[in-house]
Amino acid sequence: SNTFTAPVTGKYLLGFEMRLDNIDASTTSYSFYLVTSNRTYTYIFDPDVGNDRLYYTPSHSILADMDANDTAKMQYYVNAGAAQAMIVNQTYFYGYLVA
């Protein structure tokens, strides 16, 4: 499944590391979302460094308060410009109980 489900109530470390290839400099920004049952956490990446990028690996982590059976998932959105970047198989989404 592409969704993490909390087995018990507690605080969870949720995060991602995403490998993007072939990023076009004309892309305005990418928005990455960690969407939980209670809240959405946002990370924004501006790829414009003056030229196209062969690859980039954005990552982000948060500490989320979750109840049993709450869910979390990863989403991303290309805000404007070329949407040619590819997500490759070196992409990870994780969640685990810390307290």
Side-chain angles (χ1 to χ4, degrees), residues 57-68:
T57 307
S59 62
H60 191 63
S61 62
I62 55 100
L63 188 62
D65 188 21
M66 299 179 77
D67 296 322

Side-chain angles (χ1 to χ4, degrees), residues 47-94:
D48 187 10
V49 293
N51 57 345
D52 293 351
R53 284 185 173 194
L54 182 59
Y55 65 90
Y56 184 70
T57 307
S59 62
H60 191 63
S61 62
I62 55 100
L63 188 62
D65 188 21
M66 299 179 77
D67 296 322
N69 296 315
D70 278 357
T71 59
K73 62 183 175 180
M74 169 73 194
Q75 297 177 336
Y76 91 104
Y77 180 75
V78 179
N79 294 315
Q84 71 185 33
M86 297 183 309
I87 299 174
V88 298
N89 62 1
Q90 296 169 343
T91 296
Y92 306 97
F93 171 68
Y94 57 87

Side-chain angles (χ1 to χ4, degrees), residues 3-18:
T3 303
F4 172 80
T5 302
V8 297
T9 298
K11 295 204 181 289
Y12 287 81
L13 181 65
L14 303 173
F16 69 89
E17 181 173 297
M18 179 179 284

Side-chain angles (χ1 to χ4, degrees), residues 3-41:
T3 303
F4 172 80
T5 302
V8 297
T9 298
K11 295 204 181 289
Y12 287 81
L13 181 65
L14 303 173
F16 69 89
E17 181 173 297
M18 179 179 284
R19 168 80 184 263
L20 296 173
D21 283 1
N22 302 318
I23 299 170
D24 194 286
S26 71
T27 302
T28 304
S29 63
Y30 292 89
S31 293
F32 301 93
Y33 304 102
L34 285 169
V35 181
T36 71
S37 299
N38 299 321
R39 182 176 169 186
T40 299
Y41 302 87

